[in-house]
């Protein structure tokens, strides 16, 4: 059952691109994006810019976008929003850093510790969704396990246990 060249993908977005066409499209997108002076107006726009650079397999550019815009965007936020934004940026930075093959173990550990510190700081934010905090620790726990960073892994496990122990629906587990 041969596929017609103009047949749409299952997601309805048009004809599928060959591997060569995808590589060319990504290269054109990298060139176009690099030629622009982009200034995201809020943290959501910064996340989109970061994700585009990551999709284009450019983790160094993704980190550069965080370096260039994070402080300016956080300056306009309330204290609690700033803590949550710092947590998000630390996790994004970790993801980008882990995508760089030249990263050594000490650099990896530093990114993990920075993310753990940002998550801990954001825990003081009142009225936040507790599952977001648990998910942040779980994400970091997985990254620590991948990087064989036992101290950070243990810290994440302790923090997740403490948060889960406070959840009312888990009182029967205490």
């Amino acid at each position: 059952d041969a596929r017609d060249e103009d047949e749409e993908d299952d997601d309805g977005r048009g004809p599928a691109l060959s591997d060569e066409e995808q590589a060319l499209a990504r290269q054109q997108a990298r060139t176009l994006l690099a030629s622009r002076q982009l200034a995201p107006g809020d943290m959501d726009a910064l996340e989109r810019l970061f994700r585009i650079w990551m999709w284009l397999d450019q983790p160094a550019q993704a980190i550069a976008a965080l370096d260039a815009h994070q402080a300016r965007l956080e300056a306009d936020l309330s204290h609690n929003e700033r803590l949550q934004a710092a947590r998000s940026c630390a996790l994004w930075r970790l993801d980008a850093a882990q995508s760089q093959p030249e990263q050594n173990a000490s650099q990896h550990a530093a990114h993990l510790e920075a993310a753990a510190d940002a998550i801990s700081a954001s825990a003081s934010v009142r009225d936040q969704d507790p599952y977001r905090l648990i998910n942040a620790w779980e994400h970091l726990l997985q990254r620590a396990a991948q990087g064989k960073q036992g101290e950070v892994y243990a810290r994440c496990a302790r923090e997740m246990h403490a948060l889960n122990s406070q959840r009312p629906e888990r009182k029967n587990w205490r």
Side-chain angles (χ1 to χ4, degrees):
D1 183 65
R3 217 181 136 122
D4 184 37
E5 201 171 303
D6 292 328
E7 184 179 333
E8 289 190 2
D9 277 344
D10 291 338
D11 60 12
R13 289 188 286 177
L17 298 177
S18 68
D19 289 343
E20 296 81 22
E21 291 169 323
Q22 287 181 30
L24 178 61
R26 283 186 180 202
Q27 181 55 45
Q28 290 171 339
R30 281 191 288 268
T31 301
L32 178 64
L33 200 56
S35 71
R36 306 293 169 125
Q37 292 287 336
L38 300 173
D42 59 26
M43 291 304 293
D44 289 335
L46 178 58
E47 180 181 12
R48 285 191 300 276
L49 179 59
F50 173 85
R51 300 258 175 241
I52 289 169
W53 280 121
M54 291 298 290
W55 177 75
L56 293 171
D57 298 322
Q58 298 293 308
Q61 291 288 52
I63 290 172
L66 293 175
D67 291 342
H69 305 292
Q70 179 181 354
R72 174 182 55 83
L73 294 173
E74 285 181 357
D76 295 335
L77 301 175
S78 70
H79 176 72
N80 287 347
E81 291 170 328
R82 194 172 18 260
L83 291 173
Q84 291 175 322
R87 176 186 66 207
S88 295
C89 288
L91 291 171
W92 301 338
R93 190 177 301 278
L94 174 64
D95 289 345
Q98 286 192 309
S99 298
Q100 296 177 316
E102 65 276 2
Q103 184 182 31
N104 64 41
S106 64
Q107 290 170 316
H108 180 64
H111 285 291
L112 286 165
E113 286 292 340
D117 291 344
I119 295 169
S120 287
S122 73
S124 67
V125 175
R126 295 183 191 269
D127 300 325
Q128 71 174 310
D129 179 2
Y131 295 105
R132 282 192 98 156
L133 197 54
I134 291 169
N135 288 341
W137 281 116
E138 186 172 354
H139 179 80
L140 189 60
L141 179 111
Q142 292 169 356
R143 296 298 191 192
Q146 289 170 348
K148 298 179 175 69
Q149 299 290 327
E151 289 181 30
V152 176
Y153 184 91
R155 180 179 177 186
C156 295
R158 284 190 307 272
E159 295 290 346
M160 288 175 60
H161 176 72
L163 288 168
N164 281 320
S165 295
Q166 296 171 8
R167 291 174 39 202
E169 69 270 18
R170 295 186 60 113
K171 70 178 179 182
N172 294 334
W173 294 86
R174 293 182 202 136

